[in-house]
Amino acid sequence: MKEFSDAALIDEKGVRQLHRLLGSSLHSLVLHQTNVELQGSHHVLSPSFSLCTKGGEDYIVVENEWGDTPGGWHYGQLRARRASHPPGLDRARAHNLANTLTMKPFQGIPPVQKIDIFERVIASEGSSGPSYDSEHVRYDAAIVFRREDHSAFRLSPEDGPLGRVEFCQLWSDIRHISTALKRRVMITAEGVDFDPPSA
């Protein structure tokens, strides 16, 4: 029996980069300048989202890559990396964002207090394409940023072949993720917990 398996999880280095966002106000997010799509008033799709770190000296960029299993299941492969300026933005313009695509998801600017990463598992038995009898994939389906005032937003892989990242700030959506998916990582001021309790 041949099995297709993948663990498309944000690596430990990427998780440590996300830790640098604790204490940051994240009052605006910088979007990539191409292939941006608005879906209603609460969802935005972009090839990347750049989040300014607490000191304001650099950014953490969240990106995604599209993946398919042989049997046709789709999954995202989120990445988080440090960058001196957002993708598609000149370094010279990195600190002058007036002419770039930015979004201000919150009126106030309370700092980020906690970041949770939630995973999804795809598992199938039986015929899974011409070469595999079963499939098993783990991937990070949401990064949830929680602020001190209890507001929150998430970044998730787009459910589509363009491989973008989806932003959402609907509280009902965040609550659903917290109850439906397993929390894989919890990032707080105390450190990074790779085996956290249920959310």
Side-chain angles (χ1 to χ4, degrees):
M1 182 164 134
K2 192 173 179 185
E3 178 181 304
F4 173 85
S5 64
D6 192 10
L9 305 171
I10 299 171
D11 62 20
E12 185 171 342
K13 182 177 180 182
V15 170
R16 302 285 179 196
Q17 297 294 359
L18 288 170
H19 186 270
R20 300 179 67 237
L21 293 170
L22 290 181
S24 174
S25 63
L26 297 185
H27 61 283
S28 64
L29 311 179
V30 184
L31 288 66
H32 198 283
Q33 296 185 337
T34 60
N35 205 12
V36 173
E37 179 183 346
L38 303 178
Q39 292 187 338
S41 58
H42 295 284
H43 293 79
V44 180
L45 296 165
S46 175
S48 67
F49 285 86
S50 300
L51 304 93
C52 194
T53 57
K54 182 179 179 181
E57 69 276 1
D58 57 5
Y59 293 83
I60 305 304
V61 180
V62 177
E63 299 166 308
N64 177 40
E65 186 176 326
W66 176 259
D68 282 310
T69 71
W73 292 94
H74 311 307
Y75 61 99
Q77 301 172 72
L78 289 174
R79 294 184 301 273
R81 63 179 176 87
R82 178 186 172 274
S84 59
H85 58 285
L89 179 66
D90 244 311
R91 180 191 295 264
R93 295 171 52 206
H95 297 292
N96 179 13
L97 303 179
N99 296 318
T100 64
L101 292 169
T102 61
M103 49 188 295
K104 299 183 183 299
F106 302 100
Q107 296 299 316
I109 52 171
V112 172
Q113 186 175 47
K114 185 170 78 164
I115 301 171
D116 292 324
I117 301 175
F118 292 88
E119 74 169 305
R120 178 172 281 135
V121 176
I122 297 171
S124 67
E125 298 291 336
S127 179
S128 180
S131 305
Y132 296 90
D133 299 309
S134 66
E135 300 175 334
H136 187 270
V137 176
R138 292 175 60 206
Y139 72 98
D140 286 325
I143 307 171
V144 176
F145 298 82
R146 302 180 190 272
R147 295 173 178 255
E148 288 183 357
D149 67 349
H150 303 294
S151 62
F153 68 92
R154 72 160 167 87
L155 297 176
S156 297
E158 176 187 14
D159 186 18
L162 293 179
R164 295 174 295 188
V165 179
E166 180 187 11
F167 165 92
C168 179
Q169 62 179 347
L170 277 175
W171 182 245
S172 58
D173 178 271
I174 307 255
R175 188 171 57 245
H176 174 73
I177 284 171
S178 299
T179 57
L181 299 179
K182 178 187 175 187
R183 180 165 60 180
R184 184 178 74 85
V185 180
M186 181 173 67
I187 304 170
T188 63
E190 287 73 40
V192 178
D193 187 348
F194 285 95
D195 188 23
S198 298

